Amino acid sequence: MIYTIPDYYQEFRCLASDCPATCCAGWQIVIDDKTLRRYRNLKGSFGSRLANAINWKQQTFEQYEGRCAFLNEQNLCDIHLEAGADLMCRTCRNYPRHTEVYENERELSLSLSCPAIARLLLGRKERVTFRSIERGGVEQEEEFDDLLYSALQDCRELLLAFAQNRADALELRMAKLLALAHDVQNRIQARRLFEVEGVLERYRRPGADARLTERLRRYVAEQSERLSNRERLDELVTLRWRQLDYLRDFEVLDPLWREDLQEWRRLLYGRGCAGYLEAAWKFREAEKEWETEYEQILVYFLFTYFCGAVYDGDCLKKVQMSVTSVLILRELALAEWIRQDGRLSFEDRAKLAWRYSRELEHSDPNLLAMERMMGEWKEAGFESLLTLLLEA
Ligand code: SF4
């Protein structure tokens, strides 16, 4: 079995009672079968407490005002304090560690929804690298598409290189990711997997990078020729505004999220197109300082989700979601920057990242909704994203 981890994996330290969020509130914690059996057999007063604070039918801990029944006033876990880490369920023992499962491979990551990880990841200046180790026996699945998985892995390697190429502006990097994923997706859809290596080879050739940049710029210029300057700017603002609409349809995990979303939208678009653009242009200068943070988020999403296309055959949507997540976070950062009169601390940016990740990544319906929107909404499509990235 091959295990792959990002190089910061071992650096995680839980913030415990200093955590601004806690992972024991705001969502249901599902208890695995083995731990549930142990809880059922536990005697004494703690056994009785467990018996009363578990929803045995749903296999979850009961919650009071959105907080786990075992989360005490100091924001610490009573199961951990009274019985030790050994008695915690698998979800609690593992979080924020996340595992993507593939035949004979496990990709381990740390969830951005944890404030400690958001700080760790966004605070990092160097490019993230990944390392693999082999341990244990080989595991084979009958249904697993080895060929597709191997093509996706090769493609992801190139995507990560594009995402981390700091010679390019962030927008151009994201446009290149989309172009590559678009070309690979066409081969997957046409069942011409054997051509993927050729596509990757073309992207790797000397001079290919400059040609691609030129091609992308020409494409967007041709698209925008059909519009006047005014119409072009209106289109740009509408596209940005529509992106936040994805979030409106999400199942809400944190009730404050919905309120903030409304306020962010008001701050951004309540002042009309001209007001919005003026703020956005000023903000652009400010955010250059923390461009690396967006690179880390982009790499995080690509690493976590891209190879999952082996199960649904849609790698373009994974890249659309990664790019869209960065664009949404930039838009929310702009809103917060407006709210705070042109200031936005590192802590504010990390908070936006872990809050967004909680709403998106800790709800299967939201992840599915996001993927669906990437396929159905015109504004999330390949062309619209290119316009958003290269016309701005
Ligand atoms: S969210 Fe992260 S830092 Fe906070 S308590 Fe949970 S694991 Fe610790």
PDB file of all heavy atoms in Angstrom, residues 292-326:
ATOM      1  N   THR A 292       0.519  33.996  -2.119  1.00  0.00           N
ATOM      2  CA  THR A 292       0.969  32.625  -1.821  1.00  0.00           C
ATOM      3  C   THR A 292      -0.103  31.831  -1.072  1.00  0.00           C
ATOM      4  O   THR A 292      -0.216  30.616  -1.228  1.00  0.00           O
ATOM      5  CB  THR A 292       2.233  32.672  -0.928  1.00  0.00           C
ATOM      6  OG1 THR A 292       3.053  33.692  -1.411  1.00  0.00           O
ATOM      7  CG2 THR A 292       2.973  31.368  -0.906  1.00  0.00           C
ATOM      8  N   GLU A 293      -0.887  32.526  -0.265  1.00  0.00           N
ATOM      9  CA  GLU A 293      -1.933  31.813   0.494  1.00  0.00           C
ATOM     10  C   GLU A 293      -2.932  31.168  -0.464  1.00  0.00           C
ATOM     11  O   GLU A 293      -3.397  30.053  -0.242  1.00  0.00           O
ATOM     12  CB  GLU A 293      -2.664  32.791   1.423  1.00  0.00           C
ATOM     13  CG  GLU A 293      -1.751  33.354   2.495  1.00  0.00           C
ATOM     14  CD  GLU A 293      -2.392  34.477   3.302  1.00  0.00           C
ATOM     15  OE1 GLU A 293      -3.627  34.628   3.274  1.00  0.00           O
ATOM     16  OE2 GLU A 293      -1.624  35.209   3.971  1.00  0.00           O
ATOM     17  N   TYR A 294      -3.252  31.886  -1.544  1.00  0.00           N
ATOM     18  CA  TYR A 294      -4.198  31.315  -2.516  1.00  0.00           C
ATOM     19  C   TYR A 294      -3.569  30.136  -3.250  1.00  0.00           C
ATOM     20  O   TYR A 294      -4.249  29.178  -3.595  1.00  0.00           O
ATOM     21  CB  TYR A 294      -4.654  32.383  -3.512  1.00  0.00           C
ATOM     22  CG  TYR A 294      -5.426  33.511  -2.861  1.00  0.00           C
ATOM     23  CD1 TYR A 294      -5.062  34.837  -3.056  1.00  0.00           C
ATOM     24  CD2 TYR A 294      -6.515  33.246  -2.046  1.00  0.00           C
ATOM     25  CE1 TYR A 294      -5.776  35.870  -2.459  1.00  0.00           C
ATOM     26  CE2 TYR A 294      -7.223  34.269  -1.436  1.00  0.00           C
ATOM     27  CZ  TYR A 294      -6.851  35.577  -1.647  1.00  0.00           C
ATOM     28  OH  TYR A 294      -7.545  36.587  -1.053  1.00  0.00           O
ATOM     29  N   GLU A 295      -2.286  30.235  -3.485  1.00  0.00           N
ATOM     30  CA  GLU A 295      -1.606  29.100  -4.128  1.00  0.00           C
ATOM     31  C   GLU A 295      -1.737  27.855  -3.237  1.00  0.00           C
ATOM     32  O   GLU A 295      -2.034  26.764  -3.730  1.00  0.00           O
ATOM     33  CB  GLU A 295      -0.121  29.429  -4.333  1.00  0.00           C
ATOM     34  CG  GLU A 295       0.689  28.228  -4.795  1.00  0.00           C
ATOM     35  CD  GLU A 295       2.194  28.468  -4.699  1.00  0.00           C
ATOM     36  OE1 GLU A 295       2.672  29.491  -5.228  1.00  0.00           O
ATOM     37  OE2 GLU A 295       2.884  27.618  -4.092  1.00  0.00           O
ATOM     38  N   GLN A 296      -1.536  28.041  -1.938  1.00  0.00           N
ATOM     39  CA  GLN A 296      -1.609  26.880  -1.034  1.00  0.00           C
ATOM     40  C   GLN A 296      -3.014  26.286  -1.022  1.00  0.00           C
ATOM     41  O   GLN A 296      -3.187  25.064  -0.983  1.00  0.00           O
ATOM     42  CB  GLN A 296      -1.201  27.273   0.406  1.00  0.00           C
ATOM     43  CG  GLN A 296       0.109  28.041   0.537  1.00  0.00           C
ATOM     44  CD  GLN A 296       1.349  27.256   0.100  1.00  0.00           C
ATOM     45  OE1 GLN A 296       1.259  26.336  -0.709  1.00  0.00           O
ATOM     46  NE2 GLN A 296       2.504  27.628   0.615  1.00  0.00           N
ATOM     47  N   ILE A 297      -4.017  27.163  -1.080  1.00  0.00           N
ATOM     48  CA  ILE A 297      -5.406  26.672  -1.075  1.00  0.00           C
ATOM     49  C   ILE A 297      -5.701  25.918  -2.378  1.00  0.00           C
ATOM     50  O   ILE A 297      -6.332  24.854  -2.376  1.00  0.00           O
ATOM     51  CB  ILE A 297      -6.392  27.853  -0.881  1.00  0.00           C
ATOM     52  CG1 ILE A 297      -6.224  28.426   0.527  1.00  0.00           C
ATOM     53  CG2 ILE A 297      -7.837  27.420  -1.104  1.00  0.00           C
ATOM     54  CD1 ILE A 297      -6.943  29.737   0.775  1.00  0.00           C
ATOM     55  N   LEU A 298      -5.206  26.466  -3.462  1.00  0.00           N
ATOM     56  CA  LEU A 298      -5.392  25.826  -4.771  1.00  0.00           C
ATOM     57  C   LEU A 298      -4.770  24.424  -4.772  1.00  0.00           C
ATOM     58  O   LEU A 298      -5.386  23.440  -5.197  1.00  0.00           O
ATOM     59  CB  LEU A 298      -4.723  26.710  -5.829  1.00  0.00           C
ATOM     60  CG  LEU A 298      -5.013  26.472  -7.294  1.00  0.00           C
ATOM     61  CD1 LEU A 298      -6.505  26.559  -7.586  1.00  0.00           C
ATOM     62  CD2 LEU A 298      -4.273  27.496  -8.154  1.00  0.00           C
ATOM     63  N   VAL A 299      -3.554  24.355  -4.285  1.00  0.00           N
ATOM     64  CA  VAL A 299      -2.847  23.068  -4.232  1.00  0.00           C
ATOM     65  C   VAL A 299      -3.599  22.092  -3.317  1.00  0.00           C
ATOM     66  O   VAL A 299      -3.751  20.905  -3.620  1.00  0.00           O
ATOM     67  CB  VAL A 299      -1.384  23.279  -3.767  1.00  0.00           C
ATOM     68  CG1 VAL A 299      -0.714  21.961  -3.421  1.00  0.00           C
ATOM     69  CG2 VAL A 299      -0.603  24.015  -4.854  1.00  0.00           C
ATOM     70  N   TYR A 300      -4.103  22.610  -2.214  1.00  0.00           N
ATOM     71  CA  TYR A 300      -4.867  21.785  -1.266  1.00  0.00           C
ATOM     72  C   TYR A 300      -6.070  21.140  -1.970  1.00  0.00           C
ATOM     73  O   TYR A 300      -6.295  19.931  -1.879  1.00  0.00           O
ATOM     74  CB  TYR A 300      -5.327  22.680  -0.101  1.00  0.00           C
ATOM     75  CG  TYR A 300      -6.412  22.096   0.767  1.00  0.00           C
ATOM     76  CD1 TYR A 300      -6.100  21.230   1.815  1.00  0.00           C
ATOM     77  CD2 TYR A 300      -7.761  22.399   0.547  1.00  0.00           C
ATOM     78  CE1 TYR A 300      -7.105  20.695   2.618  1.00  0.00           C
ATOM     79  CE2 TYR A 300      -8.762  21.871   1.333  1.00  0.00           C
ATOM     80  CZ  TYR A 300      -8.431  21.020   2.366  1.00  0.00           C
ATOM     81  OH  TYR A 300      -9.430  20.483   3.146  1.00  0.00           O
ATOM     82  N   PHE A 301      -6.842  21.951  -2.692  1.00  0.00           N
ATOM     83  CA  PHE A 301      -8.040  21.410  -3.354  1.00  0.00           C
ATOM     84  C   PHE A 301      -7.669  20.443  -4.476  1.00  0.00           C
ATOM     85  O   PHE A 301      -8.300  19.406  -4.638  1.00  0.00           O
ATOM     86  CB  PHE A 301      -8.928  22.544  -3.890  1.00  0.00           C
ATOM     87  CG  PHE A 301      -9.856  23.098  -2.830  1.00  0.00           C
ATOM     88  CD1 PHE A 301      -9.584  24.295  -2.195  1.00  0.00           C
ATOM     89  CD2 PHE A 301     -10.989  22.398  -2.458  1.00  0.00           C
ATOM     90  CE1 PHE A 301     -10.428  24.793  -1.208  1.00  0.00           C
ATOM     91  CE2 PHE A 301     -11.839  22.885  -1.467  1.00  0.00           C
ATOM     92  CZ  PHE A 301     -11.562  24.090  -0.849  1.00  0.00           C
ATOM     93  N   LEU A 302      -6.647  20.793  -5.238  1.00  0.00           N
ATOM     94  CA  LEU A 302      -6.253  19.898  -6.339  1.00  0.00           C
ATOM     95  C   LEU A 302      -5.777  18.556  -5.802  1.00  0.00           C
ATOM     96  O   LEU A 302      -6.147  17.504  -6.312  1.00  0.00           O
ATOM     97  CB  LEU A 302      -5.126  20.539  -7.166  1.00  0.00           C
ATOM     98  CG  LEU A 302      -5.494  21.738  -8.029  1.00  0.00           C
ATOM     99  CD1 LEU A 302      -4.242  22.384  -8.607  1.00  0.00           C
ATOM    100  CD2 LEU A 302      -6.435  21.319  -9.166  1.00  0.00           C
ATOM    101  N   PHE A 303      -4.952  18.617  -4.771  1.00  0.00           N
ATOM    102  CA  PHE A 303      -4.424  17.362  -4.220  1.00  0.00           C
ATOM    103  C   PHE A 303      -5.562  16.512  -3.656  1.00  0.00           C
ATOM    104  O   PHE A 303      -5.630  15.305  -3.886  1.00  0.00           O
ATOM    105  CB  PHE A 303      -3.384  17.655  -3.123  1.00  0.00           C
ATOM    106  CG  PHE A 303      -2.910  16.407  -2.436  1.00  0.00           C
ATOM    107  CD1 PHE A 303      -2.098  15.499  -3.093  1.00  0.00           C
ATOM    108  CD2 PHE A 303      -3.295  16.117  -1.132  1.00  0.00           C
ATOM    109  CE1 PHE A 303      -1.671  14.321  -2.477  1.00  0.00           C
ATOM    110  CE2 PHE A 303      -2.874  14.945  -0.502  1.00  0.00           C
ATOM    111  CZ  PHE A 303      -2.061  14.048  -1.174  1.00  0.00           C
ATOM    112  N   THR A 304      -6.472  17.148  -2.932  1.00  0.00           N
ATOM    113  CA  THR A 304      -7.516  16.372  -2.250  1.00  0.00           C
ATOM    114  C   THR A 304      -8.531  15.780  -3.233  1.00  0.00           C
ATOM    115  O   THR A 304      -8.969  14.645  -3.051  1.00  0.00           O
ATOM    116  CB  THR A 304      -8.257  17.268  -1.219  1.00  0.00           C
ATOM    117  OG1 THR A 304      -7.276  17.905  -0.399  1.00  0.00           O
ATOM    118  CG2 THR A 304      -9.194  16.460  -0.341  1.00  0.00           C
ATOM    119  N   TYR A 305      -8.920  16.539  -4.240  1.00  0.00           N
ATOM    120  CA  TYR A 305     -10.076  16.108  -5.028  1.00  0.00           C
ATOM    121  C   TYR A 305      -9.795  15.604  -6.435  1.00  0.00           C
ATOM    122  O   TYR A 305     -10.587  14.836  -6.975  1.00  0.00           O
ATOM    123  CB  TYR A 305     -11.106  17.250  -5.109  1.00  0.00           C
ATOM    124  CG  TYR A 305     -11.692  17.565  -3.754  1.00  0.00           C
ATOM    125  CD1 TYR A 305     -11.255  18.663  -3.018  1.00  0.00           C
ATOM    126  CD2 TYR A 305     -12.645  16.726  -3.183  1.00  0.00           C
ATOM    127  CE1 TYR A 305     -11.770  18.927  -1.748  1.00  0.00           C
ATOM    128  CE2 TYR A 305     -13.165  16.981  -1.921  1.00  0.00           C
ATOM    129  CZ  TYR A 305     -12.719  18.093  -1.215  1.00  0.00           C
ATOM    130  OH  TYR A 305     -13.219  18.339   0.029  1.00  0.00           O
ATOM    131  N   PHE A 306      -8.712  16.055  -7.045  1.00  0.00           N
ATOM    132  CA  PHE A 306      -8.553  15.799  -8.478  1.00  0.00           C
ATOM    133  C   PHE A 306      -8.627  14.309  -8.841  1.00  0.00           C
ATOM    134  O   PHE A 306      -9.359  13.908  -9.753  1.00  0.00           O
ATOM    135  CB  PHE A 306      -7.250  16.410  -9.001  1.00  0.00           C
ATOM    136  CG  PHE A 306      -7.110  16.259 -10.485  1.00  0.00           C
ATOM    137  CD1 PHE A 306      -7.823  17.076 -11.351  1.00  0.00           C
ATOM    138  CD2 PHE A 306      -6.295  15.278 -11.032  1.00  0.00           C
ATOM    139  CE1 PHE A 306      -7.732  16.929 -12.725  1.00  0.00           C
ATOM    140  CE2 PHE A 306      -6.201  15.113 -12.402  1.00  0.00           C
ATOM    141  CZ  PHE A 306      -6.917  15.944 -13.246  1.00  0.00           C
ATOM    142  N   CYS A 307      -7.881  13.474  -8.130  1.00  0.00           N
ATOM    143  CA  CYS A 307      -7.842  12.056  -8.522  1.00  0.00           C
ATOM    144  C   CYS A 307      -9.153  11.332  -8.214  1.00  0.00           C
ATOM    145  O   CYS A 307      -9.362  10.208  -8.685  1.00  0.00           O
ATOM    146  CB  CYS A 307      -6.650  11.361  -7.861  1.00  0.00           C
ATOM    147  SG  CYS A 307      -5.098  11.872  -8.635  1.00  0.00           S
ATOM    148  N   GLY A 308     -10.040  11.979  -7.452  1.00  0.00           N
ATOM    149  CA  GLY A 308     -11.370  11.402  -7.218  1.00  0.00           C
ATOM    150  C   GLY A 308     -12.130  11.242  -8.532  1.00  0.00           C
ATOM    151  O   GLY A 308     -13.137  10.529  -8.595  1.00  0.00           O
ATOM    152  N   ALA A 309     -11.642  11.873  -9.590  1.00  0.00           N
ATOM    153  CA  ALA A 309     -12.274  11.735 -10.907  1.00  0.00           C
ATOM    154  C   ALA A 309     -12.203  10.287 -11.404  1.00  0.00           C
ATOM    155  O   ALA A 309     -12.900   9.925 -12.352  1.00  0.00           O
ATOM    156  CB  ALA A 309     -11.614  12.670 -11.915  1.00  0.00           C
ATOM    157  N   VAL A 310     -11.392   9.472 -10.751  1.00  0.00           N
ATOM    158  CA  VAL A 310     -11.339   8.061 -11.159  1.00  0.00           C
ATOM    159  C   VAL A 310     -12.699   7.396 -10.913  1.00  0.00           C
ATOM    160  O   VAL A 310     -13.029   6.401 -11.551  1.00  0.00           O
ATOM    161  CB  VAL A 310     -10.195   7.315 -10.403  1.00  0.00           C
ATOM    162  CG1 VAL A 310     -10.524   7.090  -8.935  1.00  0.00           C
ATOM    163  CG2 VAL A 310      -9.882   6.000 -11.096  1.00  0.00           C
ATOM    164  N   TYR A 311     -13.488   7.982  -9.996  1.00  0.00           N
ATOM    165  CA  TYR A 311     -14.786   7.373  -9.670  1.00  0.00           C
ATOM    166  C   TYR A 311     -15.949   7.938 -10.501  1.00  0.00           C
ATOM    167  O   TYR A 311     -16.989   7.319 -10.614  1.00  0.00           O
ATOM    168  CB  TYR A 311     -15.100   7.541  -8.182  1.00  0.00           C
ATOM    169  CG  TYR A 311     -14.104   6.805  -7.303  1.00  0.00           C
ATOM    170  CD1 TYR A 311     -13.256   7.493  -6.448  1.00  0.00           C
ATOM    171  CD2 TYR A 311     -14.002   5.414  -7.365  1.00  0.00           C
ATOM    172  CE1 TYR A 311     -12.334   6.821  -5.661  1.00  0.00           C
ATOM    173  CE2 TYR A 311     -13.081   4.730  -6.586  1.00  0.00           C
ATOM    174  CZ  TYR A 311     -12.250   5.442  -5.742  1.00  0.00           C
ATOM    175  OH  TYR A 311     -11.343   4.769  -4.976  1.00  0.00           O
ATOM    176  N   ASP A 312     -15.775   9.166 -11.031  1.00  0.00           N
ATOM    177  CA  ASP A 312     -16.898   9.707 -11.817  1.00  0.00           C
ATOM    178  C   ASP A 312     -16.476  10.167 -13.213  1.00  0.00           C
ATOM    179  O   ASP A 312     -17.302  10.648 -13.993  1.00  0.00           O
ATOM    180  CB  ASP A 312     -17.594  10.858 -11.068  1.00  0.00           C
ATOM    181  CG  ASP A 312     -16.681  12.063 -10.840  1.00  0.00           C
ATOM    182  OD1 ASP A 312     -15.581  12.095 -11.418  1.00  0.00           O
ATOM    183  OD2 ASP A 312     -17.064  12.972 -10.092  1.00  0.00           O
ATOM    184  N   GLY A 313     -15.189  10.049 -13.513  1.00  0.00           N
ATOM    185  CA  GLY A 313     -14.720  10.367 -14.865  1.00  0.00           C
ATOM    186  C   GLY A 313     -14.755  11.847 -15.204  1.00  0.00           C
ATOM    187  O   GLY A 313     -14.677  12.211 -16.375  1.00  0.00           O
ATOM    188  N   ASP A 314     -14.877  12.733 -14.193  1.00  0.00           N
ATOM    189  CA  ASP A 314     -14.957  14.158 -14.519  1.00  0.00           C
ATOM    190  C   ASP A 314     -13.866  14.970 -13.827  1.00  0.00           C
ATOM    191  O   ASP A 314     -14.062  15.483 -12.720  1.00  0.00           O
ATOM    192  CB  ASP A 314     -16.341  14.715 -14.159  1.00  0.00           C
ATOM    193  CG  ASP A 314     -16.631  15.974 -14.952  1.00  0.00           C
ATOM    194  OD1 ASP A 314     -15.681  16.714 -15.273  1.00  0.00           O
ATOM    195  OD2 ASP A 314     -17.799  16.206 -15.276  1.00  0.00           O
ATOM    196  N   CYS A 315     -12.722  15.068 -14.475  1.00  0.00           N
ATOM    197  CA  CYS A 315     -11.606  15.768 -13.833  1.00  0.00           C
ATOM    198  C   CYS A 315     -11.716  17.280 -14.002  1.00  0.00           C
ATOM    199  O   CYS A 315     -11.202  18.042 -13.186  1.00  0.00           O
ATOM    200  CB  CYS A 315     -10.278  15.246 -14.351  1.00  0.00           C
ATOM    201  SG  CYS A 315      -9.855  15.779 -16.010  1.00  0.00           S
ATOM    202  N   LEU A 316     -12.418  17.724 -15.034  1.00  0.00           N
ATOM    203  CA  LEU A 316     -12.530  19.176 -15.242  1.00  0.00           C
ATOM    204  C   LEU A 316     -13.302  19.831 -14.097  1.00  0.00           C
ATOM    205  O   LEU A 316     -12.927  20.881 -13.594  1.00  0.00           O
ATOM    206  CB  LEU A 316     -13.209  19.463 -16.589  1.00  0.00           C
ATOM    207  CG  LEU A 316     -13.418  20.942 -16.925  1.00  0.00           C
ATOM    208  CD1 LEU A 316     -12.089  21.703 -16.939  1.00  0.00           C
ATOM    209  CD2 LEU A 316     -14.111  21.115 -18.268  1.00  0.00           C
ATOM    210  N   LYS A 317     -14.361  19.148 -13.654  1.00  0.00           N
ATOM    211  CA  LYS A 317     -15.161  19.709 -12.559  1.00  0.00           C
ATOM    212  C   LYS A 317     -14.324  19.874 -11.289  1.00  0.00           C
ATOM    213  O   LYS A 317     -14.523  20.796 -10.514  1.00  0.00           O
ATOM    214  CB  LYS A 317     -16.346  18.794 -12.259  1.00  0.00           C
ATOM    215  CG  LYS A 317     -17.549  19.088 -13.098  1.00  0.00           C
ATOM    216  CD  LYS A 317     -18.758  18.435 -12.479  1.00  0.00           C
ATOM    217  CE  LYS A 317     -19.776  18.158 -13.571  1.00  0.00           C
ATOM    218  NZ  LYS A 317     -20.568  16.970 -13.300  1.00  0.00           N
ATOM    219  N   LYS A 318     -13.380  18.968 -11.088  1.00  0.00           N
ATOM    220  CA  LYS A 318     -12.540  19.058  -9.869  1.00  0.00           C
ATOM    221  C   LYS A 318     -11.667  20.304  -9.941  1.00  0.00           C
ATOM    222  O   LYS A 318     -11.451  20.971  -8.934  1.00  0.00           O
ATOM    223  CB  LYS A 318     -11.639  17.819  -9.737  1.00  0.00           C
ATOM    224  CG  LYS A 318     -12.363  16.489  -9.894  1.00  0.00           C
ATOM    225  CD  LYS A 318     -13.213  16.159  -8.694  1.00  0.00           C
ATOM    226  CE  LYS A 318     -13.883  14.803  -8.804  1.00  0.00           C
ATOM    227  NZ  LYS A 318     -15.032  14.724  -9.702  1.00  0.00           N
ATOM    228  N   VAL A 319     -11.196  20.607 -11.151  1.00  0.00           N
ATOM    229  CA  VAL A 319     -10.359  21.804 -11.295  1.00  0.00           C
ATOM    230  C   VAL A 319     -11.240  23.057 -11.217  1.00  0.00           C
ATOM    231  O   VAL A 319     -10.873  24.046 -10.578  1.00  0.00           O
ATOM    232  CB  VAL A 319      -9.557  21.749 -12.612  1.00  0.00           C
ATOM    233  CG1 VAL A 319      -8.812  23.054 -12.846  1.00  0.00           C
ATOM    234  CG2 VAL A 319      -8.563  20.598 -12.561  1.00  0.00           C
ATOM    235  N   GLN A 320     -12.417  22.986 -11.831  1.00  0.00           N
ATOM    236  CA  GLN A 320     -13.347  24.126 -11.726  1.00  0.00           C
ATOM    237  C   GLN A 320     -13.643  24.424 -10.260  1.00  0.00           C
ATOM    238  O   GLN A 320     -13.667  25.579  -9.841  1.00  0.00           O
ATOM    239  CB  GLN A 320     -14.669  23.801 -12.445  1.00  0.00           C
ATOM    240  CG  GLN A 320     -14.606  23.891 -13.954  1.00  0.00           C
ATOM    241  CD  GLN A 320     -15.880  23.341 -14.570  1.00  0.00           C
ATOM    242  OE1 GLN A 320     -15.880  22.207 -15.045  1.00  0.00           O
ATOM    243  NE2 GLN A 320     -16.953  24.079 -14.556  1.00  0.00           N
ATOM    244  N   MET A 321     -13.872  23.372  -9.484  1.00  0.00           N
ATOM    245  CA  MET A 321     -14.188  23.575  -8.061  1.00  0.00           C
ATOM    246  C   MET A 321     -12.991  24.178  -7.314  1.00  0.00           C
ATOM    247  O   MET A 321     -13.150  25.051  -6.466  1.00  0.00           O
ATOM    248  CB  MET A 321     -14.599  22.253  -7.418  1.00  0.00           C
ATOM    249  CG  MET A 321     -15.132  22.435  -6.014  1.00  0.00           C
ATOM    250  SD  MET A 321     -15.766  20.910  -5.324  1.00  0.00           S
ATOM    251  CE  MET A 321     -14.308  20.304  -4.492  1.00  0.00           C
ATOM    252  N   SER A 322     -11.794  23.729  -7.642  1.00  0.00           N
ATOM    253  CA  SER A 322     -10.594  24.254  -6.965  1.00  0.00           C
ATOM    254  C   SER A 322     -10.419  25.739  -7.290  1.00  0.00           C
ATOM    255  O   SER A 322     -10.182  26.560  -6.400  1.00  0.00           O
ATOM    256  CB  SER A 322      -9.342  23.489  -7.424  1.00  0.00           C
ATOM    257  OG  SER A 322      -9.526  22.106  -7.267  1.00  0.00           O
ATOM    258  N   VAL A 323     -10.545  26.058  -8.577  1.00  0.00           N
ATOM    259  CA  VAL A 323     -10.372  27.452  -9.008  1.00  0.00           C
ATOM    260  C   VAL A 323     -11.486  28.322  -8.415  1.00  0.00           C
ATOM    261  O   VAL A 323     -11.252  29.410  -7.881  1.00  0.00           O
ATOM    262  CB  VAL A 323     -10.366  27.529 -10.558  1.00  0.00           C
ATOM    263  CG1 VAL A 323     -10.495  28.955 -11.046  1.00  0.00           C
ATOM    264  CG2 VAL A 323      -9.098  26.880 -11.108  1.00  0.00           C
ATOM    265  N   THR A 324     -12.725  27.809  -8.495  1.00  0.00           N
ATOM    266  CA  THR A 324     -13.865  28.571  -7.977  1.00  0.00           C
ATOM    267  C   THR A 324     -13.708  28.828  -6.477  1.00  0.00           C
ATOM    268  O   THR A 324     -14.038  29.909  -5.986  1.00  0.00           O
ATOM    269  CB  THR A 324     -15.179  27.799  -8.254  1.00  0.00           C
ATOM    270  OG1 THR A 324     -15.298  27.657  -9.673  1.00  0.00           O
ATOM    271  CG2 THR A 324     -16.382  28.534  -7.724  1.00  0.00           C
ATOM    272  N   SER A 325     -13.192  27.852  -5.759  1.00  0.00           N
ATOM    273  CA  SER A 325     -13.005  28.033  -4.312  1.00  0.00           C
ATOM    274  C   SER A 325     -12.044  29.182  -4.033  1.00  0.00           C
ATOM    275  O   SER A 325     -12.276  29.998  -3.142  1.00  0.00           O
ATOM    276  CB  SER A 325     -12.478  26.740  -3.673  1.00  0.00           C
ATOM    277  OG  SER A 325     -13.483  25.760  -3.733  1.00  0.00           O
ATOM    278  N   VAL A 326     -10.972  29.248  -4.799  1.00  0.00           N
ATOM    279  CA  VAL A 326     -10.022  30.353  -4.612  1.00  0.00           C
ATOM    280  C   VAL A 326     -10.697  31.685  -4.965  1.00  0.00           C
ATOM    281  O   VAL A 326     -10.572  32.677  -4.232  1.00  0.00           O
ATOM    282  CB  VAL A 326      -8.755  30.141  -5.474  1.00  0.00           C
ATOM    283  CG1 VAL A 326      -7.894  31.392  -5.501  1.00  0.00           C
ATOM    284  CG2 VAL A 326      -7.946  28.975  -4.921  1.00  0.00           C
TER     285      VAL A 326
END
